[in-house]
Amino acid sequence: MGMVRQADAPLRGLNTFGIDARARVLWRLDSLDDLAQLGEVLRDDAGKGHPRPPLILGGGSNLLIADDPQQPIVQMALRGLRIVEDDGDTVIVEAAAGEAWDPLVRWTLSQGLAGLENLALIPGTVGAAPIQNIGAYGVELRDCFESLDAVDLGSGIARSFTADDCAFGYRDSVFKHVDAAQWLVTSVRLRLSRTADLKLDYGEIRAELSEAHIVAPTPTDVADAVSRIRRRKLPDPTVIGNAGSFFKNPLIEPEQAQAVRAREPELPCWPSGDRVKVSAAWMIERCGFKGMRIGDAGVHARHALVLVNHGHARGSDILALAMQIRSAVEIRFGILLEAEPVVVGAARL
Ligand code: EPU
């Protein structure tokens, strides 16, 4: 059958910001059998002097297309979900990289498997989840990560990565670093359990459960509570374009945190290893950006960390607003914000 190739492909429906960009060429990967062909066409493309590595697209939910991308785009569309190991309590689930994340969460819950409940309703695909070590409400992907399979698009060589190999950090992994840019994740294995070990410490979850009069929550109750909180705070990308949090919460040295807190005592801070995580949303709100709008680029009215496309913003409009926010926060707090989404088609933010 072969891969689906599209030249001059419209990208508006393939990124949750809804940026109206076009790709020079887009390849859709529906089958592992097509990998050899994909390697060949990409090497051929590079041989013609086109830029590489390719941009790998999952749900397009952690992406800002600042300008028409010149590199080829590979749309990951591999599907498949299965249980690969089951000792009666611990269960290893394997999901293909093109599966959507939230339906996977719901499928595992329907199988009586706990572990992913706090990660409910995160947009995007399974293959993208380890790239930035997705996290929410006190849990990160690494907490239930078993291993993944990936293919080096440069050489065609496939290998597995353990959690150690992935070098997970806060919204970070080995795959985000330049020397690893050719790895295409093909499937991810997760270690789940029939015995729930619920993580309810993120205050809003308990409040949400008690609001619903739930005293002995199941993993599904937690997933439902998390989903309700997210729906309330975060804009639905099918209604208003966005890529979730646009900036990471900065990790700073304890001495710096102490100095900033002396001037800004209300700045929310959390210990994180030997550093301190500070709230980017709070700093952005304090600088007056919450709900602000410049043309169609804006800051969400209910969450200052989320940049939104009110309709026809270009990627460069969103990027310009992000830069304005970043310099305002740096001037007031002396802290440099780092973008969370991948920014393509422009110099790095
Ligand atoms: N806050 C404000 N103003 C706002 C929003 C929040 O001051 O407009 C302050 C509040 O004090 C609040 C604190 O920021 O207590 C934290 O807010 P929230 O719980 O919404 O979490 P966050 O730190 O802003 C992070 C993740 C989210 C994840 C939530 C919940 C990052 C970059 N973002 O946001 O992840 O859903 O925690 O765990 O770490 C994403 O990565 O795209 C994402 C949505």
Side-chain angles (χ1 to χ4, degrees):
M1 223 178 65
M3 280 181 303
V4 180
R5 176 186 193 274
Q6 202 182 349
D8 190 28
L11 296 175
R12 190 181 176 109
L14 300 180
N15 72 100
T16 59
F17 254 125
I19 301 295
D20 202 2
R22 299 187 89 84
R24 187 171 59 76
V25 56
L26 181 129
W27 295 95
R28 202 181 77 211
L29 188 72
D30 292 290
S31 158
L32 274 177
D33 300 337
D34 294 334
L35 270 174
Q37 192 199 348
L38 179 63
E40 237 166 73
V41 296
L42 292 176
R43 277 189 293 277
D44 186 46
D45 196 73
K48 290 181 185 145
H50 289 303
R52 55 188 311 186
L55 173 68
I56 297 162
L57 197 61
S61 57
N62 196 47
L63 177 67
L64 175 62
I65 306 174
D67 206 351
D68 286 348
Q70 292 309 302
Q71 65 271 55
I73 298 193
V74 176
Q75 189 187 0
M76 165 50 71
L78 298 176
R79 304 298 301 265
L81 281 182
R82 61 190 184 124
I83 287 176
V84 289
E85 260 179 69
D86 185 348
D87 74 1
D89 184 38
T90 301
V91 175
I92 311 280
V93 166
E94 182 178 80
E99 290 287 338
W101 178 260
D102 183 58
L104 165 70
V105 172
R106 291 293 171 174
W107 181 79
T108 60
L109 291 169
S110 74
Q111 303 288 308
L113 303 176
L116 302 182
E117 52 278 359
N118 294 44
L119 303 178
L121 214 64
I122 294 182
T125 54
V126 166
I131 310 298
Q132 61 154 347
N133 180 29
I134 57 170
Y137 302 97
V139 174
E140 289 181 335
L141 178 80
R142 70 169 146 195
D143 299 328
C144 45
F145 179 87
E146 173 71 10
S147 59
L148 63 78
D149 293 335
V151 175
D152 175 12
L153 290 174
S155 66
I157 293 169
R159 62 162 279 201
S160 295
F161 287 72
T162 63
D164 279 351
D165 297 333
C166 292
F168 290 124
Y170 166 58
R171 294 294 192 276
D172 196 29
S173 77
V174 70
F175 303 105
K176 280 190 103 170
H177 300 280
V178 174
D179 57 345
Q182 293 258 280
W183 288 107
L184 173 76
V185 175
T186 53
S187 64
V188 176
R189 282 172 293 277
L190 301 163
R191 175 181 290 269
L192 305 174
S193 176
R194 292 193 200 283
T195 321
D197 175 18
L198 299 179
K199 306 276 189 304
L200 307 176
D201 292 340
Y202 212 93
E204 285 169 294
I205 297 184
R206 284 192 204 279
E208 189 68 32
L209 288 168
S210 77
E211 188 96 335
H213 307 289
I214 295 169
V215 280
T218 64
T220 299
D221 291 331
V222 175
D224 291 345
V226 165
S227 301
R228 284 196 300 274
I229 299 167
R230 292 187 69 102
R231 283 203 183 91
R232 239 187 352 251
K233 290 171 57 161
L234 300 170
D236 176 352
T238 63
V239 178
I240 178 165
N242 75 91
S245 299
F246 193 87
F247 295 104
K248 297 184 195 178
N249 287 321
L251 290 166
I252 61 176
E253 299 304 322
E255 299 73 36
Q256 191 187 359
Q258 220 171 5
V260 182
R261 290 263 283 187
R263 286 183 283 120
E264 307 272 0
E266 286 160 42
L267 172 66
C269 294
W270 307 269
S272 177
D274 53 8
R275 289 192 288 172
V276 177
K277 198 184 263 186
V278 296
S279 168
W282 191 90
M283 293 191 288
I284 295 168
E285 183 171 350
R286 260 304 210 266
C287 289
F289 286 101
K290 193 167 178 174
M292 185 218 223
R293 181 171 173 169
I294 303 177
D296 272 354
V299 179
H300 188 48
R302 289 196 304 270
H303 205 300
L305 205 43
V306 181
L307 300 193
V308 294
N309 175 5
H310 285 288
H312 296 94
R314 287 168 303 171
S316 55
D317 299 331
I318 306 274
L319 198 62
L321 176 59
M323 286 176 170
Q324 201 180 324
I325 291 172
R326 202 168 72 146
S327 66
V329 167
E330 193 184 6
I331 289 166
R332 175 155 181 177
F333 296 92
I335 295 174
L336 195 62
L337 295 178
E338 198 185 320
E340 195 194 82
V342 173
V343 179
V344 292
R348 281 189 63 141
L349 187 69

